Amino acid sequence: MPSQTELLLRLGKQDSIVGQAQVDTSSLPADIAGKANDIPVLSTNAPPVREDLLAASPDLVVSPTEYEFTAEQGYASIDQLSANGAQAYVATGGCADRRNTAEIGDVFTDITNLGNILGEPNTAEELIADSKARLDRIREVIDNHDQPTVAQVYVEGNTIGAIGAGVESDIIRHAGGKNVFHPDSPEFEDFFATEINPEEIVDRNPEAIVFGVSGSDQEEQVRTYLRKTFPSVPAVQNDVLIAIPQSDLYPGTLGNIDAVEIIARQL
């Protein structure tokens, strides 16, 4: 994912990266995008297929979740990588047993771990200090404001889902919002998101709606759907429809901090 590529670039490992994946899902930040120009692209919209990843002969593969190692989907499993001489690092918040309870602070664990693995502990400490300072600045501002109610959703066509747990939910909390879907609710016991009926949004009447997108076309499609489906909801009436790059919502990415800033500003 570009989010993991960004983290490796900010740790100073530009010359060590033998492949980047899912490059069309989001853009790298402008200040480092040029550093990735010569890094081979292994995939565009999905994780790299097994053969392409193994052909790159990596020593380490960094991923936001365990999904990227699903052999049934045609991706290289962790065991297959190991047999090929590679180790896998899954973001702390993206591990299966942690996905539902993940927090933004997990990315600091990832930065520390990768900094040690890659021999860049000092750079890792600097990244962590900068990220924590950004969160502190947000906290200083939102402490003086009420908590608007927020629904975090994903939309595919005419299907809508609610996000109530995981790092996505913690992002809302850090941004000063009150999620109308709670991680302790039974529907989020096994997974951080669940499909819902539109009436659920109407009943909870959020003051803001947050949604992840992979580009401007999808953003406009989702906005159109939300305005058409929920005209009476305050979030729509007041146009507090907050689009976040989908890659910023994945575990183990500095984009989590970007997402908090965007949402806090618009709330």
Side-chain angles (χ1 to χ4, degrees), residues 13 27 87 97 119 131 140 165 175 217 235:
K13 307 313 292 184
S27 300
Q87 297 296 310
D97 60 354
S131 297
E140 289 173 2
D217 289 345

Short mmCIF file of all heavy atoms in Angstrom, two decimals, residues 13 27 87 97 119 131 140 165 175 217 235:
data_model
loop_
_atom_site.label_atom_id
_atom_site.label_comp_id
_atom_site.label_asym_id
_atom_site.label_seq_id
_atom_site.Cartn_x
_atom_site.Cartn_y
_atom_site.Cartn_z
N LYS A 13 14.44 4.66 3.82
CA LYS A 13 14.81 3.40 3.17
C LYS A 13 14.52 3.40 1.66
O LYS A 13 14.30 2.35 1.06
CB LYS A 13 14.09 2.23 3.84
CG LYS A 13 14.28 2.16 5.35
CD LYS A 13 15.72 2.31 5.79
CE LYS A 13 16.60 1.15 5.38
NZ LYS A 13 17.99 1.29 5.90
N SER A 27 -2.41 8.58 -3.61
CA SER A 27 -1.16 9.23 -4.01
C SER A 27 -0.26 9.38 -2.79
O SER A 27 -0.74 9.56 -1.66
CB SER A 27 -1.45 10.61 -4.61
OG SER A 27 -2.27 10.50 -5.74
N GLN A 87 10.55 -12.19 5.33
CA GLN A 87 9.73 -12.05 6.52
C GLN A 87 8.59 -11.08 6.23
O GLN A 87 8.70 -10.22 5.35
CB GLN A 87 10.57 -11.53 7.69
CG GLN A 87 11.69 -12.47 8.11
CD GLN A 87 11.17 -13.79 8.64
OE1 GLN A 87 10.29 -13.81 9.50
NE2 GLN A 87 11.70 -14.89 8.13
N ASP A 97 -6.29 -10.54 15.42
CA ASP A 97 -6.76 -10.50 16.80
C ASP A 97 -6.75 -9.11 17.40
O ASP A 97 -7.15 -8.92 18.55
CB ASP A 97 -5.92 -11.45 17.67
CG ASP A 97 -4.45 -11.08 17.68
OD1 ASP A 97 -4.05 -10.16 16.93
OD2 ASP A 97 -3.69 -11.72 18.43
N GLY A 119 17.16 -0.54 11.11
CA GLY A 119 18.36 0.19 11.55
C GLY A 119 18.20 1.70 11.54
O GLY A 119 19.18 2.44 11.36
N SER A 131 4.50 13.15 15.11
CA SER A 131 3.10 12.72 15.04
C SER A 131 2.37 12.99 16.35
O SER A 131 1.21 13.44 16.34
CB SER A 131 3.04 11.23 14.71
OG SER A 131 3.59 10.97 13.43
N GLU A 140 -5.64 20.18 21.88
CA GLU A 140 -5.75 21.50 22.49
C GLU A 140 -6.93 22.29 21.92
O GLU A 140 -7.61 23.03 22.63
CB GLU A 140 -4.46 22.29 22.28
CG GLU A 140 -3.28 21.77 23.08
CD GLU A 140 -1.98 22.47 22.72
OE1 GLU A 140 -2.03 23.39 21.87
OE2 GLU A 140 -0.94 22.12 23.29
N ALA A 165 -15.71 0.22 14.97
CA ALA A 165 -14.59 -0.22 15.81
C ALA A 165 -13.29 -0.05 15.03
O ALA A 165 -13.26 0.53 13.95
CB ALA A 165 -14.80 -1.68 16.23
N ALA A 175 -10.39 13.00 16.74
CA ALA A 175 -10.77 14.21 16.02
C ALA A 175 -11.85 15.01 16.75
O ALA A 175 -12.24 16.08 16.28
CB ALA A 175 -11.27 13.84 14.62
N ASP A 217 -13.78 10.69 -8.24
CA ASP A 217 -15.01 10.15 -8.83
C ASP A 217 -15.83 9.42 -7.78
O ASP A 217 -17.05 9.61 -7.69
CB ASP A 217 -14.68 9.21 -9.99
CG ASP A 217 -14.17 9.94 -11.21
OD1 ASP A 217 -14.33 11.18 -11.27
OD2 ASP A 217 -13.60 9.28 -12.10
N ALA A 235 -26.19 16.05 9.07
CA ALA A 235 -24.92 15.99 8.35
C ALA A 235 -25.09 16.41 6.90
O ALA A 235 -24.23 17.08 6.32
CB ALA A 235 -24.32 14.59 8.43
#
